[in-house]
Protein backbone atom coordinates (compact mmCIF):
# COMPACT_ATOMS: atom_id res chain seq x y z
CA UNK A 1 0.00 0.00 0.00
CA UNK A 2 0.96 3.63 -0.38
CA UNK A 3 1.64 4.29 3.30
CA UNK A 4 3.60 1.11 3.99
CA UNK A 5 5.94 1.66 1.05
CA UNK A 6 6.30 5.40 1.68
CA UNK A 7 8.41 7.35 4.11
CA UNK A 8 7.64 9.71 6.94
CA UNK A 9 5.27 9.70 9.91
CA UNK A 10 2.27 8.19 8.09
CA UNK A 11 4.32 5.31 6.72
CA UNK A 12 5.86 4.74 10.15
CA UNK A 13 2.40 4.67 11.76
CA UNK A 14 1.07 2.17 9.20
CA UNK A 15 4.12 -0.07 9.65
CA UNK A 16 3.56 0.01 13.41
CA UNK A 17 -0.15 -0.80 13.03
CA UNK A 18 0.23 -3.42 10.29
CA UNK A 19 0.14 -6.48 12.61
CA UNK A 20 -3.28 -5.35 13.88
CA UNK A 21 -4.75 -4.58 10.44
CA UNK A 22 -6.94 -7.08 8.62
CA UNK A 23 -6.25 -8.40 5.17
CA UNK A 24 -8.89 -7.59 2.53
CA UNK A 25 -10.12 -11.18 2.80
CA UNK A 26 -10.42 -10.97 6.59
CA UNK A 27 -12.15 -7.61 6.33
CA UNK A 28 -14.74 -9.05 3.93
CA UNK A 29 -15.58 -12.09 6.07
CA UNK A 30 -18.34 -10.42 8.10
CA UNK A 31 -19.94 -8.85 5.01
CA UNK A 32 -19.93 -12.22 3.25
CA UNK A 33 -21.37 -13.90 6.34
CA UNK A 34 -24.21 -11.37 6.48
CA UNK A 35 -24.93 -11.78 2.77
CA UNK A 36 -24.92 -15.60 2.85
CA UNK A 37 -26.04 -16.82 6.25
CA UNK A 38 -29.66 -17.81 6.78
CA UNK A 39 -29.11 -17.11 10.51
CA UNK A 40 -29.23 -13.36 9.86
CA UNK A 41 -31.94 -13.34 7.20
CA UNK A 42 -34.25 -10.41 7.93
CA UNK A 43 -31.91 -8.90 10.53
CA UNK A 44 -31.50 -5.17 10.00
CA UNK A 45 -30.07 -2.24 11.91
CA UNK A 46 -27.69 -4.34 13.99
CA UNK A 47 -23.91 -4.10 14.42
CA UNK A 48 -21.71 -7.08 13.56
CA UNK A 49 -18.00 -7.61 14.14
CA UNK A 50 -16.12 -10.76 13.16
CA UNK A 51 -19.42 -12.41 12.12
CA UNK A 52 -20.93 -11.89 15.58
CA UNK A 53 -23.66 -9.45 16.59
CA UNK A 54 -22.32 -6.90 19.07
CA UNK A 55 -24.18 -4.58 21.41
CA UNK A 56 -23.92 -0.89 20.64
CA UNK A 57 -23.20 1.68 23.32
CA UNK A 58 -23.40 5.38 24.04
CA UNK A 59 -24.54 7.82 21.40
CA UNK A 60 -25.22 5.05 18.88
CA UNK A 61 -28.38 4.26 20.89
CA UNK A 62 -29.72 7.84 20.95
CA UNK A 63 -32.85 8.04 18.73
CA UNK A 64 -32.84 11.85 18.68
CA UNK A 65 -29.23 11.92 17.52
CA UNK A 66 -30.05 9.30 14.87
CA UNK A 67 -32.94 11.42 13.59
CA UNK A 68 -30.76 14.54 13.39
CA UNK A 69 -28.01 12.61 11.57
CA UNK A 70 -30.56 11.24 9.07
CA UNK A 71 -31.95 14.73 8.39
CA UNK A 72 -28.47 16.25 7.99
CA UNK A 73 -27.49 13.45 5.60
CA UNK A 74 -30.64 13.97 3.50
CA UNK A 75 -29.94 17.71 3.31
CA UNK A 76 -26.32 17.08 2.28
CA UNK A 77 -27.34 14.60 -0.41
CA UNK A 78 -29.92 17.02 -1.79
CA UNK A 79 -27.20 19.65 -2.22
CA UNK A 80 -25.09 17.33 -4.42
CA UNK A 81 -25.41 17.38 -8.21
CA UNK A 82 -28.26 15.07 -9.15
CA UNK A 83 -29.67 15.15 -5.59
CA UNK A 84 -33.39 15.45 -5.24
Amino acid sequence: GFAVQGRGPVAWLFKLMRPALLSPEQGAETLLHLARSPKVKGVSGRYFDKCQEKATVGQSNDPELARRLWEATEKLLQSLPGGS
Side-chain angles (χ1 to χ4, degrees):
F2 77 96
V4 176
Q5 295 173 356
R7 300 185 191 281
V10 173
W12 180 83
L13 180 62
F14 271 87
K15 287 176 185 175
L16 185 64
M17 292 174 45
R18 187 169 191 133
L21 298 176
L22 298 176
S23 70
E25 292 80 12
Q26 292 168 322
E29 282 179 13
T30 297
L31 292 174
L32 291 172
H33 167 74
L34 294 172
R36 296 177 182 166
S37 176
K39 293 179 182 180
V40 293
K41 183 177 182 179
V43 174
S44 180
R46 304 296 175 112
Y47 175 71
F48 285 79
D49 182 35
K50 297 180 182 160
C51 301
Q52 300 294 317
E53 185 175 346
K54 303 290 182 177
T56 56
V57 295
Q59 292 180 332
S60 66
N61 294 319
D62 183 339
E64 174 60 19
L65 187 58
R67 182 192 63 75
R68 290 180 20 221
L69 176 60
W70 186 271
E71 290 174 357
T73 302
E74 283 183 327
K75 185 181 277 188
L76 177 65
L77 292 174
Q78 289 172 359
S79 70
L80 295 175
S84 52

